[in-house]
């Protein structure tokens, strides 16, 4: 995927998400909606033991809920941002995640203020975008801001923040530093305060997009080079105790998900990338959860473009075996 095509696709997402999910507009709630009838990028499912309910969120800032993963009710508006903050009155919301931690629920998401430009790189204006965390006492929200107005540097576009408690017992946000500015996307970590209300210190590099052996694109001269995109990190332990990370990029125009493994068993790595992608082509931005019956599933979205070049993304569930040192992805539960 060359950079001109990437800019076009990103611009299309931005233009089409903005009118679809304004915060001052109440969504129409539907019941008994099959999973494959929901269009949603970056799906994330929290299996909440306290309520015996599955909660699904993702890009767009809305929430769906289900008792059985088959029929869903939603979407519900669950986010209350501060219009006087850097996010502005109506931020775009990408890749939201829900994490239960120490008796509260935390909403990790990417917020974009399209009215603020932080940089111009290669003739392209970069909007104010950053990973951030909100909090609620209930999984269905509302999720509201905490103490710190900023978690990550204001002059860097960051996205797809996820949550991890490392072996040192400290909580961290793992996130992407977007390729639009650095032209070689990275995945980084930053320590969080014990109550997740802010960050501590500065971010630290884990790996770069160019470290991947499987992601590919053509440069302006037509040479095949590593793809510059890092997307959707998700941390996990296998049952043998190995620390791994799902993350997504592209193989030319194919949306693709791979795995990196930490040799030290901590976020500090070094991170060694598996040579081949872990999911079929055109599936990505994955996360994993256990059902109330104990089955490990991976939630991803399928990716395709229609005749007009518009993204079509639908949540999908795959069975996963984590009993060995490496994940084995099984059948798609849609089939």
């Amino acid at each position: 995927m060359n950079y001109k095509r990437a800019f076009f696709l990103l611009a299309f997402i931005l233009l089409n998400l903005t009118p679809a999910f304004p915060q001052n507009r109440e969504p129409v709630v539907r019941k008994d909606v099959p999973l494959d009838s929901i269009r949603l990028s970056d799906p994330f499912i929290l299996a909440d033991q306290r309520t015996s309910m599955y909660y699904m969120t993702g890009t767009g800032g809305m929430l769906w809920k289900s008792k059985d993963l088959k029929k869903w009710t939603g979407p519900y508006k669950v986010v209350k941002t501060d219009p006087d903050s850097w996010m502005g009155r109506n931020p775009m919301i990408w890749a939201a995640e829900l994490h239960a931690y120490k008796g509260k629920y935390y909403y990790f998401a990417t917020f974009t203020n399209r009215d603020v430009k932080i940089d111009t790189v290669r003739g392209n204006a970069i909007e104010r975008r950053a990973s951030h965390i909100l909090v609620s006492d209930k999984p269905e929200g509302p999720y509201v801001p905490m103490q710190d107005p900023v978690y990550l540097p204001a002059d860097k576009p960051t996205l797809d923040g996820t949550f991890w408690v490392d072996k040192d017992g400290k909580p961290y946000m793992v996130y992407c530093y977007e390729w639009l500015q650095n032209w070689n996307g990275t995945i980084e970590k930053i320590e969080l305060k014990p109550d997740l209300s802010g960050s501590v210190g500065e971010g630290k590099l884990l790996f770069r997009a160019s470290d991947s052996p499987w992601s590919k694109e053509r440069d302006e001269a037509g040479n095949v080079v590593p793809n510059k995109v890092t997307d959707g990190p998700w941390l996990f332990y296998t049952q043998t105790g190995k620390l791994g990370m799902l993350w997504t990029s592209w193989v030319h125009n194919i949306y693709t998900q791979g795995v990196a493994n930490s040799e030290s068993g901590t976020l500090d790595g070094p991170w060694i990338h598996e040579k081949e992608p872990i999911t079929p082509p055109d599936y990505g931005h994955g996360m994993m959860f256990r059902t109330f019956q104990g089955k490990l599933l991976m939630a991803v979205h399928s990716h395709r473009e229609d005749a007009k070049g518009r993204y079509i993304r639908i949540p999908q569930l795959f069975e996963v075996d984590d009993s060995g040192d490496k994940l084995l992805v099984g059948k798609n539960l849609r089939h």
Side-chain angles (χ1 to χ4, degrees):
M1 180 177 67
N2 63 43
Y3 71 92
K4 291 182 179 179
R5 174 182 173 81
F7 281 129
F8 172 79
L9 294 176
L10 180 61
F12 183 86
I13 293 174
L14 295 178
L15 290 172
N16 281 272
L17 282 178
T18 301
F21 300 106
Q23 288 200 63
N24 58 1
R25 181 177 172 184
E26 291 294 333
V28 177
V29 174
R30 296 176 288 153
K31 296 182 178 181
D32 297 330
V33 180
L35 185 63
D36 59 6
S37 294
I38 298 172
R39 290 192 178 184
L40 180 68
S41 296
D42 315 325
F44 184 100
I45 296 176
L46 171 68
D48 185 55
Q49 296 288 343
R50 188 184 298 180
T51 59
S52 300
M53 183 76 72
Y54 298 102
Y55 297 92
M56 180 171 67
T57 186
T59 286
M62 301 294 175
L63 183 77
W64 294 80
K65 59 185 181 180
S66 173
K67 286 286 189 182
D68 60 6
L69 297 173
K70 297 177 181 179
K71 301 294 184 181
W72 293 82
T73 299
Y76 298 95
K77 185 173 70 173
V78 296
V79 176
K80 291 185 177 181
T81 56
D82 179 1
D84 295 324
S85 72
W86 67 264
M87 299 179 190
R89 296 187 61 82
N90 189 29
M92 298 179 63
I93 302 175
W94 292 355
E97 300 186 357
L98 303 179
H99 294 274
Y101 184 64
K102 294 186 176 180
K104 291 185 179 294
Y105 295 86
Y106 294 90
Y107 190 93
F108 284 63
T110 305
F111 297 87
T112 300
N113 185 340
R114 303 201 66 202
D115 294 328
V116 177
K117 307 299 188 290
I118 62 171
D119 200 357
T120 300
V121 177
R122 304 194 185 193
N124 295 280
I126 298 174
E127 297 165 341
R128 178 74 169 94
R129 174 163 44 253
S131 297
H132 202 87
I133 306 171
L134 307 180
V135 67
S136 177
D137 292 326
K138 300 179 294 183
E140 64 268 27
Y143 290 89
V144 298
M146 290 185 283
Q147 177 179 326
D148 286 15
V150 176
Y151 282 77
L152 295 165
D155 59 351
K156 293 173 62 173
T158 56
L159 69 161
D160 293 355
T162 191
F163 181 50
W164 188 250
V165 178
D166 212 7
K167 287 185 175 179
D168 59 7
K170 297 178 181 179
Y172 292 87
M173 180 195 293
V174 176
Y175 60 93
C176 300
Y177 174 22
E178 192 170 29
W179 66 274
L180 288 171
Q181 186 177 55
N182 61 25
W183 223 245
N184 184 9
T186 67
I187 291 182
E188 305 181 0
K189 73 167 186 176
I190 192 166
E191 184 182 340
L192 298 173
K193 294 178 179 179
D195 63 354
L196 313 191
S197 64
S199 57
V200 179
E202 298 180 352
K204 179 179 178 181
L205 174 70
L206 302 186
F207 61 82
R208 295 178 172 85
S210 58
D211 295 336
S212 165
W214 52 262
S215 67
K216 296 178 178 64
E217 64 179 327
R218 291 189 182 274
D219 63 17
E220 296 179 22
N223 302 308
V224 176
V225 296
N227 198 284
K228 61 180 70 67
V229 174
T230 50
D231 182 79
W234 170 259
L235 284 302
F236 64 90
Y237 283 124
T238 66
Q239 292 186 39
T240 60
K242 300 294 184 180
L243 176 61
M245 182 193 304
L246 300 173
W247 72 286
T248 302
S249 189
W250 297 80
V251 178
H252 300 295
N253 65 335
I254 305 298
Y255 195 63
T256 307
Q257 181 174 242
V259 173
N261 298 293
S262 170
E263 286 199 327
S264 68
T266 73
L267 288 178
D268 289 329
W271 290 90
I272 308 302
H273 296 264
E274 295 185 10
K275 293 182 179 180
E276 300 296 331
I278 193 170
T279 44
D282 285 322
Y283 292 89
H285 201 110
M287 58 80 59
M288 295 185 293
F289 67 98
R290 289 200 181 273
T291 68
F292 298 129
Q293 293 73 40
K295 179 180 291 187
L296 184 63
L297 298 180
M298 179 186 293
V300 297
H301 65 242
S302 57
H303 173 92
R304 65 179 176 86
E305 295 175 52
D306 66 13
K308 296 182 179 180
R310 294 175 297 193
Y311 278 170
I312 306 296
R313 288 180 164 178
I314 298 172
Q316 309 278 348
L317 297 176
F318 284 86
E319 293 182 345
V320 182
D321 179 357
D322 67 342
S323 60
D325 286 348
K326 294 186 178 182
L327 297 181
L328 297 175
V329 177
K331 67 178 181 180
N332 186 332
L333 297 187
R334 181 181 177 185
H335 301 296

